[in-house]
Amino acid sequence: MQKIALKIRTRIDEIPSIGSFIINAMTGDVIDFIAYSSIYSDPYVTDLELERKSIEALINPTQLNGELKVITGTIYSNQDLVTTNINYLEGYVKRATGLTIGLKDFGFQAVRKCNQSGDIEGLLSKMDIVTSNAGNATNMAALTKVGFSVAKLKTLTDLRAALKTGNDAQNSKINDRITLVGNNHAAINSFWTKMVDVCDAGQIIYQPISTEKKQQYVVSILIKRMRKDAAKTGIGGTVEPKARIEFKSLTGARKRVSNANTKGVYDLKGIKAGEYLATKIVKGKPNVSKNVIIVTGESIVENFS
């Protein structure tokens, strides 16, 4: 089946918010719209809002996002376990004698780099190198003498397998979300066409009456207003001086980082709305993690003890 091209003039994730702006304005002005044309009746506005909610459900599917949050949260937990177990293994390597390769060639730095950046595919590959080096018969014999064991090696390989399973599941859910939108381009185009029509009518109605009212129905102005609100979206609070706070999205947005100043104050603006796992890092060590919800246009206060 041939894919229908989108005809929207904004990012797809912005459509529900733009629709809300337009429908809310129209709801307050419905008498003027009906006076202009009987097609813009109260039921018309009601149906538009139902259609908007339907489009929002396509773009932000509740069930898929809920499943994605669980999968992503598990991946983050396993990444923390990788950090701990890699640190342990590095300690054994430092203490062992008679290894076939040196500490720098074992692959620890590459694992940490991928783990820190969230590159799971790269992490899987680099973990293979580390576990292969550790599992080498000569190295295993040397490492066992200082406290390492086959069971500890299995813990690492099991973690690698769990990350692979989680990453595959995460990609599957993200692809399902993309497919859901892709299969409904016609519905999205239909809603967008109606929004543009309402805006056109609103500009005609208020052109001779009020420039301010007219601007409530100019799509380009609405997009700028919405993006201005998004730029104000943020989170801040207090923490130990110079601590680092990492915000890792549970639904696919990019990771954001904020560093506290010498007084222990951090402030992060322009973060995308959604649910995040926030982790406080002091002197390179994860200290406290909590889930936080970021709301568009609001500045959330979240302090870390």
Side-chain angles (χ1 to χ4, degrees):
M1 183 171 59
Q2 186 175 5
K3 187 175 181 180
I4 298 172
L6 283 174
K7 299 178 180 178
I8 60 177
R9 302 202 309 267
T10 187
R11 296 199 308 266
I12 194 165
D13 60 293
E14 295 175 329
I15 293 176
S17 296
I18 293 174
S20 287
F21 279 132
I22 296 169
I23 293 170
N24 287 339
M26 187 185 188
T27 300
D29 299 331
V30 70
I31 294 175
D32 293 336
F33 271 84
I34 293 173
Y36 172 68
S37 173
S38 60
I39 67 171
Y40 301 115
S41 59
D42 285 329
Y44 183 87
V45 180
T46 301
D47 289 344
L48 270 185
E49 175 59 14
L50 290 174
E51 194 169 342
R52 188 199 69 80
K53 289 180 178 179
S54 176
I55 297 301
E56 184 167 31
L58 292 174
I59 297 172
N60 298 301
T62 302
Q63 182 174 339
L64 272 177
N65 282 346
E67 293 168 353
L68 184 59
K69 288 177 187 178
V70 173
I71 293 167
T72 305
T74 301
I75 289 174
Y76 291 155
S77 295
N78 285 330
Q79 284 183 267
D80 289 341
L81 291 174
V82 167
T83 298
T84 300
N85 283 275
I86 285 295
N87 288 344
Y88 272 52
L89 177 53
E90 185 179 44
Y92 294 130
V93 170
K94 287 179 180 178
R95 289 161 177 79
T97 56
L99 297 172
T100 61
I101 56 175
L103 176 65
K104 291 184 178 179
D105 296 320
F106 231 84
F108 299 121
Q109 185 175 353
V111 167
R112 290 192 179 100
K113 183 177 179 180
C114 291
N115 203 21
Q116 178 66 28
S117 67
D119 176 10
I120 303 300
E121 285 83 2
L123 177 59
L124 296 174
S125 174
K126 302 308 179 185
M127 285 184 72
D128 279 340
I129 294 173
V130 170
T131 54
S132 176
N133 287 332
N136 171 280
T138 301
N139 292 338
M140 193 67 197
L143 290 168
T144 300
K145 292 178 181 179
V146 294
F148 195 57
S149 65
V150 173
K152 290 175 181 177
L153 178 61
K154 185 176 185 301
T155 296
L156 268 174
T157 57
D158 286 349
L159 263 178
R160 194 265 182 204
L163 281 167
K164 174 69 166 60
T165 299
N167 189 58
D168 290 345
Q170 185 185 58
N171 288 335
S172 177
K173 294 300 178 186
I174 291 172
N175 288 336
D176 286 347
R177 198 166 59 181
I178 293 171
T179 300
L180 184 62
V181 170
N183 289 342
N184 288 277
H185 280 187
I188 295 170
N189 284 341
S190 175
F191 178 71
W192 180 258
T193 299
K194 291 174 184 176
M195 291 297 96
V196 171
D197 174 73
V198 168
C199 284
D200 181 66
Q203 291 177 57
I204 292 171
I205 293 167
Y206 294 109
Q207 172 71 35
I209 301 173
S210 168
T211 300
E212 183 179 351
K213 291 286 290 182
K214 176 188 173 183
Q215 289 180 343
Q216 294 180 10
Y217 297 97
V218 178
V219 173
S220 60
I221 292 176
L222 294 176
I223 292 173
K224 287 181 181 178
R225 183 190 304 169
M226 181 181 59
R227 290 178 181 173
K228 186 176 181 181
D229 286 345
K232 295 177 183 177
T233 303
I235 185 168
T238 57
V239 69
E240 286 91 334
K242 297 186 178 181
R244 172 188 174 98
I245 310 293
E246 291 186 350
F247 295 91
K248 295 187 285 188
S249 172
L250 294 172
T251 53
R254 69 186 180 94
K255 181 175 79 172
R256 298 293 303 274
V257 174
S258 181
N259 294 303
N261 61 22
T262 55
K263 294 182 179 180
V265 176
Y266 79 93
D267 187 33
L268 182 63
K269 298 295 184 186
I271 186 171
K272 187 175 180 180
E275 191 169 344
Y276 292 78
L277 176 67
T279 302
K280 179 182 72 171
I281 300 172
V282 180
K283 296 181 180 179
K285 296 180 180 179
N287 196 300
V288 175
S289 293
K290 61 174 78 173
N291 280 27
V292 296
I293 296 176
I294 307 296
V295 180
T296 300
E298 295 186 13
S299 187
I300 308 298
V301 176
E302 191 68 52
N303 299 318
F304 288 80
S305 60

